[in-house]
Amino acid sequence: MKAFAALFAELDASTSTAHKVDAMQRYFVRAPAADAAWAAYFLAGGKPRQAVPSAVLRASACEAAGIDDWLFDACYQAVGDLAETIAHVLPLHDHDSPGRDDAAGLAEWIEQRLLPLRAEPPALQADALRGFWRVLGHDEAFLLVKLIGGAFRVGVSKLLVQRALAQVAGIDAKLVAQRMMGYTDARSAPTPARYAALLAAPDAQRPSDGGQPYPFFLAHPLDAAPGGFDARLGPCGDWLVEWKYDGIRAQAVKRAGRVWLWSRGEELVGEAFPDAAKPLATLSDGTVLDGELLVWPEGAAQPAPFARLQKRLNRKTIGAKLLADAPARFVAYDLLEDGGTDLRALPQSERRARLEARLRDTAVMLSPLLQATDWPAYARLREQSRERGVEGLMLKHRSAAYGSGRTKADGTWWKWKIDPMTADGVLVYAQAGHGRRASVYTDYTFAVWSRTPRDSHEAQAVVDAIARREPMPDIAAGALALVPFAKAYSGLTDEEFARIDRTIREHTVDKFGPVRTVKPSLVFELGFEGIARSPRHKSGIAVRFPRMLRIRDDKPLHEADTLDSLRELLEGAG
């Protein structure tokens, strides 16, 4: 644990990519295989399940520190991170203090101490935590709370982890990336054997489970104007063009008589989509398809909105009613393996021809290719995206191989998405960020007017009421109010976040936990990919992937958008 905590601290303190890769390489060379297996899991994005409820963590920390709840809450609001707060308030000492000589490795901590806690009652969990606090230093306590609470995050990408492992093993990082697919799936614990398989010689036999997918090839966003496409991309005839579907990217793996469905997040999702997996069972063994999971009712001309697909996610069982209401389909657009042969190095056009041949006379749906005479004609097709229930176009060069991750080394895919929907919202709540932004308010909640204000004076009356902490009036009776509809935390520069942070601190009117109620004074233009009805939200509306496009210093509060504005977008989205 000490070694992994030291690595975590070193990674957190550095912004150098080369330094981070070197630090991980040094750790993996020295660490026992069992510890290295878990370290690779966590660094590559594996999420530990919460072992102890946050309330037990907080109570145990308060008891050990001898402080009241209100003081802990005040510290938490100042720090913005639960693990960092606990590590600061605990009476921790240096490792040379009596009793602080625990030499257990990361694997022992996870497998023998943390994982068993999930099944224990709160009293025994608290006893275990008290024992942990007595043997840990600051860095280890901070890391441990991250692992216990299921909130472990570190500033390295999976690509950097793969580079470090490749350097340790002396093999190609692309091979490590391929072997690492599915490594962070929560259903399979990292073991020394699985770790050894990551580092094995290039000619080592594939693991016997047979269900491992390939690394996903990712597209680059295309934001150029169509008038410049000929100069930038060349003739449109050099490209295969398809619709960009708004679903869940997935790979379908058929080997050894079984079908595995993997999400881009490297999670097995076949149990949630048995109807999508059923047609895939007719494929020959040794077939791997890249494609999209969508809700697509039988006979419908286009897929259903993403909101219908969301109903199928994160469910252990799928009942007959849900299968009928939100029938899922796998739409294939690439063939990565055929007859057990890896096809990824073949040109896109050849893989497409083989895909069409492989799916002929099957029930698996093939993503259609679009045809147009020139780039302006494709631009006109793109304009139909929303009415067709898609996000835009995918452009795939005919000569492109199927790469790993977002790279142009093997060829190019572009995603030419439609412009986002936009709305002007008023900042009403704020919360501190995470990591390096833990002390800055970067996570914001935005609201729109319940109706159009008569003038700036009526809008100001609402602002004044919020400053006096008055409850929201009854908008059903026609009262004017600001109604929250979206949360966003991305899109601004560090300088802009610093400026907004100062405004939030100057205009805070109330606090509840880590959240501040802010006296409205700022309007932002928000962009989002989709909009849907939602009974769970006060506004009755939910937006997808909201982000801040700009601060609207030019727009007064009373000119921000309204619920009717959002409803018009909702109607336009079909």
Side-chain angles (χ1 to χ4, degrees), residues 255-376:
R255 298 191 188 115
R258 289 184 55 192
V259 172
W260 289 265
L261 274 175
W262 290 90
S263 73
R264 182 182 151 190
E266 299 183 28
E267 295 179 340
L268 284 166
V269 295
E271 291 182 1
F273 297 97
D275 43 355
K278 185 176 180 180
L280 299 165
T282 63
L283 298 174
S284 302
D285 279 353
T287 301
V288 179
L289 304 177
D290 187 9
E292 202 88 6
L293 286 167
L294 300 159
V295 166
W296 200 317
E298 187 70 29
Q302 63 190 44
F306 185 82
R308 292 268 296 278
L309 184 65
Q310 278 186 306
K311 297 178 181 179
R312 298 286 299 267
L313 303 181
N314 302 319
R315 289 178 178 266
K316 294 182 179 179
T317 58
I318 305 296
K321 185 178 186 304
L322 188 55
L323 284 171
D325 292 344
R329 178 182 295 185
F330 180 86
V331 178
Y333 44 67
D334 214 327
L335 180 63
L336 311 186
E337 183 180 314
D338 190 20
T341 300
D342 184 350
L343 306 183
R344 293 177 297 157
L346 295 179
Q348 184 79 48
S349 56
E350 186 171 343
R351 296 200 311 277
R352 174 71 192 201
R354 292 196 181 203
L355 176 66
E356 292 174 355
R358 172 59 59 198
L359 298 188
R360 191 173 296 126
D361 301 323
T362 74
V364 181
M365 182 174 175
L366 176 66
S367 173
L369 291 179
L370 306 179
Q371 302 293 334
T373 56
D374 52 26
W375 290 121

Side-chain angles (χ1 to χ4, degrees), residues 54-257:
S54 297
V56 176
L57 278 170
R58 293 165 62 105
S60 298
C62 288
E63 179 187 7
I67 61 175
D68 293 329
D69 290 345
W70 69 266
L71 183 54
F72 183 93
D73 290 339
C75 295
Y76 180 37
Q77 290 179 20
V79 173
D81 182 273
L82 179 63
E84 188 173 354
T85 304
I86 289 177
H88 278 310
V89 302
L90 287 174
L92 303 173
H93 305 288
D94 296 331
H95 283 298
D96 55 4
S97 300
R100 292 187 183 274
D101 55 355
D102 187 272
L106 178 62
E108 181 178 339
W109 270 95
I110 298 297
E111 296 171 8
Q112 299 181 29
R113 303 184 185 185
L114 299 192
L115 294 183
L117 284 181
R118 295 178 188 153
E120 299 292 349
L124 291 182
Q125 290 176 339
D127 285 342
L129 290 175
R130 283 190 286 270
F132 297 163
W133 306 149
R134 286 194 291 268
V135 299
L136 295 176
H138 178 276
D139 288 348
E140 296 96 88
F142 174 69
L143 173 62
L144 187 72
V145 178
K146 289 287 188 184
L147 296 174
I148 290 175
F152 178 86
R153 283 185 282 189
V154 64
V156 296
S157 66
K158 182 178 291 186
L159 180 63
L160 295 187
V161 179
Q162 292 162 358
R163 282 174 53 185
L165 291 171
Q167 291 178 15
V168 170
I171 58 178
D172 190 342
K174 291 182 180 179
L175 180 58
V176 177
Q178 179 177 338
R179 292 170 171 175
M180 209 166 200
M181 288 298 295
Y183 188 81
T184 57
D185 182 64
R187 306 181 192 202
S188 301
T191 63
R194 293 185 68 203
Y195 176 71
L198 297 178
L199 308 183
D203 56 354
Q205 187 175 3
R206 183 172 18 213
S208 59
D209 66 5
Q212 187 179 43
Y214 292 100
F216 284 86
F217 188 31
L218 306 179
H220 293 263
L222 183 60
D223 54 8
F229 277 20
D230 282 317
R232 183 170 182 179
L233 305 179
C236 65
D238 291 346
W239 298 82
L240 301 180
V241 182
E242 305 169 49
W243 295 118
K244 186 185 186 307
Y245 291 108
D246 185 15
I248 296 173
R249 182 86 178 273
Q251 280 185 36
V253 179
K254 174 68 187 301
R255 298 191 188 115

Side-chain angles (χ1 to χ4, degrees), residues 385-402:
S385 295
R386 281 207 171 92
E387 62 189 71
R388 291 178 177 269
V390 296
E391 293 186 305
L393 301 180
M394 288 292 301
L395 314 181
K396 303 175 181 179
H397 201 276
R398 288 182 175 274
S399 65
Y402 189 95

